[in-house]
Amino acid sequence: MAAPPGTPVNFTRKVPDGDEMERLVCSDCGFIAYENPKIIAGAVVTHGDSILLCRRAIHPQKGRWTLPAGFLEMHETPAEGAMREAWEEARAKIEIVDLLGVYTVKRISQVQMFYRARLTDAAIEPGPESLEVGLFTLADIPWDDLAFPSVHWALGHFQEIAGRDDFAPFTNPPGWENV
Amino acid sequence: MAAPPGTPVNFTRKVPDGDEMERLVCSDCGFIAYENPKIIAGAVVTHGDSILLCRRAIHPQKGRWTLPAGFLEMHETPAEGAMREAWEEARAKIEIVDLLGVYTVKRISQVQMFYRARLTDAAIEPGPESLEVGLFTLADIPWDDLAFPSVHWALGHFQEIAGRDDFAPFTNPPGWENV
């Protein structure tokens, strides 16, 4: 039976000449598929006192609430990526305010950059990856039904620096450095 | 003649099913080599009033001075990557202070994260990628012989927030957003 699409059947892990680390190398043509950490770009988007959340239509964590965020694409700045994701997931037009947090999920080699941002147009609606989207006051946020730890962290840190603009961006909370 | 090692002879650019962007796909096995922006992690490392610089032994910009910095590897935080690079390039043991800047070089899809850091041990020496290493006061920095624009930016921003710890990290200077 053929391997499913995307399975690297011809790739083996070895240390290329002149390198010091194992890389994924094609046994046929020698192509090196370098693996490096990927960037997630996202935003805590406000409209007045409310925060934009999206209920996920896709796995993982399908059905749970998240901040608009996703993989940074080639030739984007992280801020541009956060704006694109807000549009893709919530049809939200936003402007970036500042960098709220740089979180790391080492296990899966992700660096997650969350910005503070504002809606520039009140109209929002679910994109293809969202079941629904909504604006929640802090009191109404479904804290027990959030999709990922970093969504908790970003929302918590957002509350912590409410009204300030001279803070250093947050990193993973104490005890969560090595997740 | 065989293609040189690393040449993706079996890969073509196409839009995989369920995707919206062109990806690099192996014509033989269907493996998708996703390309995403890469993170550079580096540091402005101080020892008293001096800053650590490394003269590059490798291309690009061989012979010019740079801050210790390099590609983030899998399962590292950006701060850990900056520490590793300081060791690799200058045999420098450092501690991270805070995040100085997040620069983007869109043309080559790099997100560069520079930290402020301190030497924890005065001993430094060139690693394999450096011709020499040195500690420079701001007055002595070889401004006309720096390797990359982001080295200029990081050193300039470092001066700008001397003595402060409540600043937001810098981004590309005005006019340099789209390099």
Side-chain angles (χ1 to χ4, degrees):
Chain A
M1 197 177 81
T7 307
V9 292
N10 296 333
F11 284 80
T12 52
R13 292 197 178 272
K14 59 182 232 183
V15 179
D17 289 343
D19 204 336
E20 292 179 356
M21 302 189 115
E22 280 200 344
R23 309 290 178 187
L24 206 53
V25 181
C26 177
S27 314
D28 288 343
C29 73
F31 176 67
I32 301 170
Y34 284 99
E35 299 162 293
N36 291 92
K38 290 189 200 296
I39 298 170
I40 299 285
V44 178
V45 181
T46 51
H47 183 63
D49 288 336
S50 295
I51 293 171
L52 172 63
L53 294 179
C54 310
R55 202 153 76 83
R56 289 173 63 81
I58 55 172
H59 291 292
Q61 299 296 332
K62 185 174 174 175
R64 289 180 169 249
W65 291 91
T66 191
L67 294 165
F71 287 107
L72 190 64
E73 294 282 2
M74 298 294 273
H75 310 296
E76 279 183 335
T77 66
E80 288 168 348
M83 293 171 70
R84 176 182 49 73
E85 291 289 342
W87 174 257
E88 287 182 5
E89 298 184 1
R91 296 294 179 244
K93 293 182 182 136
I94 70 171
E95 62 182 2
I96 299 295
V97 177
D98 51 20
L99 181 59
L100 174 64
V102 178
Y103 309 118
T104 314
V105 187
K106 290 166 73 165
R107 181 176 49 83
I108 51 173
S109 295
Q110 284 185 0
V111 175
Q112 304 191 346
M113 303 179 65
F114 279 94
Y115 292 85
R116 293 197 298 189
R118 279 188 286 261
L119 278 187
T120 57
D121 181 335
I124 55 171
E125 61 179 74
E129 296 181 4
S130 303
L131 295 170
E132 56 180 314
V133 295
L135 291 163
F136 296 81
T137 63
L138 282 169
D140 291 333
I141 283 175
W143 293 101
D144 295 333
D145 206 21
L146 297 178
F148 306 109
S150 57
V151 175
H152 276 272
W153 305 341
L155 288 169
H157 290 149
F158 176 85
Q159 290 185 70
E160 196 172 327
I161 45 80
R164 290 179 51 197
D165 62 6
D166 60 349
F167 61 94
F170 292 88
T171 55
N172 294 25
W176 294 83
E177 293 88 348
N178 291 305
V179 294
Chain B
M1 197 176 80
T7 306
V9 293
N10 296 331
F11 284 79
T12 51
R13 294 197 177 273
K14 59 182 230 181
V15 179
D17 290 344
D19 203 334
E20 292 179 357
M21 299 189 123
E22 280 200 344
R23 308 291 179 186
L24 206 53
V25 182
C26 178
S27 314
D28 288 343
C29 73
F31 175 68
I32 301 170
Y34 283 100
E35 299 162 294
N36 292 91
K38 292 190 200 296
I39 298 170
I40 299 284
V44 178
V45 181
T46 52
H47 182 62
D49 288 335
S50 296
I51 294 171
L52 172 63
L53 295 178
C54 310
R55 201 153 76 83
R56 289 174 62 81
I58 55 172
H59 291 290
Q61 300 295 334
K62 184 172 173 178
R64 289 180 168 248
W65 291 91
T66 191
L67 294 165
F71 287 108
L72 191 65
E73 295 281 2
M74 298 294 275
H75 310 297
E76 279 183 334
T77 66
E80 289 168 347
M83 293 171 70
R84 177 182 49 73
E85 290 289 341
W87 175 256
E88 288 182 4
E89 299 185 359
R91 295 298 179 244
K93 293 182 183 138
I94 70 172
E95 63 183 3
I96 299 295
V97 176
D98 51 21
L99 181 59
L100 174 63
V102 179
Y103 308 118
T104 315
V105 187
K106 290 166 72 165
R107 180 176 49 85
I108 52 173
S109 295
Q110 285 186 0
V111 175
Q112 304 191 347
M113 304 181 64
F114 280 93
Y115 291 85
R116 292 197 298 187
R118 278 187 287 261
L119 277 187
T120 58
D121 182 334
I124 55 171
E125 60 180 75
E129 297 181 2
S130 303
L131 294 171
E132 56 180 316
V133 296
L135 292 164
F136 295 82
T137 62
L138 283 169
D140 291 333
I141 283 175
W143 292 102
D144 294 334
D145 206 22
L146 297 178
F148 306 108
S150 57
V151 175
H152 276 272
W153 305 341
L155 288 169
H157 290 149
F158 177 85
Q159 290 184 70
E160 195 171 329
I161 45 78
R164 290 179 50 195
D165 61 7
D166 60 350
F167 61 94
F170 292 88
T171 55
N172 294 25
W176 294 83
E177 294 88 349
N178 290 307
V179 295

